[in-house]
Amino acid sequence: MPSQPAILMAAAPVKQRSGTRAQLPPCYYEGYLEKRGPKEKISRRLWTCLCGNTLFFFNNAKDTHYVEKMDLSGFVSLKDDCSRDRNLEAARLILRMKDGETKLTVANLEARELWKGFLQSVVDLSVPSCLTLLPGQVQMLREVVDRERNRRRAARTPTRAPPSPLSVPLLGEIPSCFRPVSRTEAEVLLERHPDCGNMLLRPGRDGSSLAVTTRQDLNGSVFRHYRVTQREQGGYVIDVENPIPCATLHDVIDALVEKTAGTLQPFLLEEPYEENITFVSSNEENGERILHCAPSSPLPKAPALPPKQERWKPLPRSPAPDRRILSAVTSPVPSSPSSPMRRLVLSPSPLLAQSLTEELKMKLEKRRTSQD
């Protein structure tokens, strides 16, 4: 990509949040952006990664922990900002979300078209047709659409119950926030990954029930544990002061989300696998590192070697004819090479030689008789 313009950053670096790049969804595109949110008075130049349908912002390209993220599920529109920038080559965008507008500045017009293409492809799951892009860039967007569609389909697929120390079988499909961990391990998971949710389902301590562990911030981490038991007549119940009956474990999670007005959210620690081979290379001009996707078409096969030719083998020799027969046969034959008689003599057979000898004897006897 072209060299990035020098852009003023905030005076103090932003405090990093939990969440490493290895835990993020697959990255489709990344680069430096100047960002100013609806509540920000000054723009910040941040390394931005489009992972799944979320923008993750880092202080620089080498950081492994992001400082901010923007979920594109609240996307409203994306349009060009034609206002002038102090850098004449820079181009601006206005990303409108449900909670306000965010202004983005990129290096040039070409970079703006690429960012628009990737963002709209991920949001709409289709390649936009109104952008000025090269055929290779359009193909990249098609691959991104396919990868994002598969990622969302996999995220919606309910997971089966993993092995757990429960002594009773679980009924129905198991929510994706189920983790076969202890009470202490559940607290550690929720505290280490606050951006992945604050409520998980786990086996109970007695082995015959389940438990829901939650975490919230109130001058520090506040953990709560709720017992979930299985009823004899079917279904489950949340054992609180006023028990809450639920038909399935999914209903247990939904009931807690509804009772807290969405404050509690299921814990979803995404651990995706890559579907394509990617590699990072550095720009020789500005040293910026860019993620590339290896071509999906198979490599050309090496040309096949010609088949080995067998060595020349001499033909077997025919047995030598009897010299006496040849002397008797060849003496009266004319020396002309075109004579049919000569062609016959070149490869005589015993029967033919005998018949020719008898014929010659008869002719000699006639000649002698005529002379007498």
Side-chain angles (χ1 to χ4, degrees):
M1 292 180 61
S3 59
Q4 301 287 350
I7 303 176
L8 294 178
M9 297 181 64
V14 183
K15 183 180 179 181
Q16 293 183 342
R17 297 184 181 180
S18 299
T20 62
R21 294 198 187 192
Q23 300 170 351
L24 302 181
C27 182
Y28 302 140
Y29 194 63
E30 60 183 356
Y32 276 108
L33 288 179
E34 183 184 4
K35 170 187 171 294
R36 189 176 69 182
K39 298 180 180 180
E40 297 174 335
K41 296 182 179 180
I42 188 171
S43 298
R44 291 176 293 153
R45 184 172 182 259
L46 300 172
W47 181 261
T48 308
C49 299
L50 176 60
C51 301
N53 62 337
T54 305
L55 287 172
F56 292 89
F57 301 95
F58 301 81
N59 281 327
N60 55 65
K62 296 181 179 180
D63 280 356
T64 58
H65 291 75
Y66 65 87
V67 297
E68 187 178 345
K69 71 176 183 178
M70 181 184 298
D71 189 352
L72 296 179
S73 59
F75 177 88
V76 176
S77 65
L78 179 65
K79 63 180 182 179
D80 298 340
D81 184 0
C82 299
S83 60
R84 290 256 179 182
D85 188 82
R86 58 183 176 274
N87 181 4
L88 298 180
E89 295 183 358
R92 291 182 171 182
L93 284 168
I94 297 179
L95 177 59
R96 180 171 298 171
M97 308 292 289
K98 292 181 180 180
D99 56 354
E101 291 183 353
T102 299
K103 294 186 177 181
L104 306 173
T105 303
V106 297
N108 48 44
L109 296 176
E110 180 182 359
R112 183 171 69 180
E113 290 295 292
L114 280 174
W115 274 108
K116 287 167 58 180
F118 279 98
L119 291 173
Q120 293 178 0
S121 297
V122 168
V123 171
D124 301 330
L125 291 181
S126 63
V127 178
S129 58
C130 58
L131 301 178
T132 307
L133 299 173
L134 298 174
Q137 295 169 338
V138 174
Q139 179 61 28
M140 289 174 58
L141 296 182
R142 289 173 182 164
E143 294 178 359
V144 167
V145 170
D146 293 338
R147 294 174 63 189
E148 178 63 13
R149 185 180 289 114
N150 293 335
R151 188 190 71 85
R152 295 187 189 182
R153 187 183 299 114
R156 290 194 300 266
T157 303
T159 57
R160 295 182 179 180
S164 66
L166 290 174
S167 59
V168 293
L170 300 179
L171 301 178
E173 296 291 345
I174 307 303
S176 54
C177 63
F178 178 87
R179 294 278 168 172
V181 295
S182 64
R183 173 184 288 223
T184 303
E185 292 171 338
E187 294 179 354
V188 172
L189 269 178
L190 293 176
E191 192 164 26
R192 284 183 179 178
H193 309 284
D195 297 314
C196 297
N198 55 4
M199 171 177 58
L200 63 79
L201 182 67
R202 60 177 179 83
R205 183 174 298 177
D206 56 4
S208 61
S209 63
L210 294 164
V212 174
T213 299
T214 66
R215 174 193 174 273
Q216 299 182 71
D217 287 321
L218 183 61
N219 298 324
S221 296
V222 177
F223 296 101
R224 292 290 183 266
H225 305 274
Y226 303 95
R227 182 187 177 93
V228 178
T229 57
Q230 187 172 337
R231 299 188 299 179
E232 294 181 358
Q233 62 270 31
Y236 298 88
V237 61
I238 305 175
D239 290 336
V240 289
E241 184 176 357
N242 295 319
I244 304 174
C246 302
T248 64
L249 290 176
H250 282 281
D251 294 336
V252 170
I253 302 301
D254 293 340
L256 291 172
V257 173
E258 182 180 356
K259 293 290 184 181
T260 60
T263 302
L264 296 180
Q265 290 294 323
F267 180 81
L268 301 176
L269 183 61
E270 295 185 0
E271 298 174 347
Y273 292 92
E274 296 295 335
E275 298 179 357
N276 293 286
I277 299 175
T278 57
F279 60 97
V280 178
S281 64
S282 300
N283 190 303
E284 296 180 357
E285 297 180 359
N286 55 14
E288 180 180 350
R289 298 174 65 82
I290 305 174
L291 184 69
H292 298 275
C293 184
S296 56
S297 57
L299 296 176
K301 296 182 179 180
L305 296 176
K308 293 184 178 180
Q309 297 182 354
E310 297 184 358
R311 294 185 177 181
W312 176 81
K313 296 181 179 180
L315 296 175
R317 295 183 179 181
S318 59
D322 193 348
R323 292 184 179 181
R324 293 174 296 178
I325 297 176
L326 285 178
S327 61
V329 174
T330 58
S331 56
V333 178
S335 59
S336 173
S338 60
S339 173
M341 187 64 69
R342 183 174 180 83
R343 290 197 299 270
L344 290 173
V345 172
L346 292 177
S347 58
S349 63
L351 295 177
L352 180 59
Q354 183 178 359
S355 62
L356 290 176
T357 303
E358 293 177 356
E359 185 178 356
L360 288 174
K361 288 180 179 181
M362 293 176 62
K363 287 184 178 182
L364 289 173
E365 291 178 358
K366 289 181 180 181
R367 185 178 298 179
R368 292 174 182 175
T369 304
S370 62
Q371 288 179 358
D372 294 340

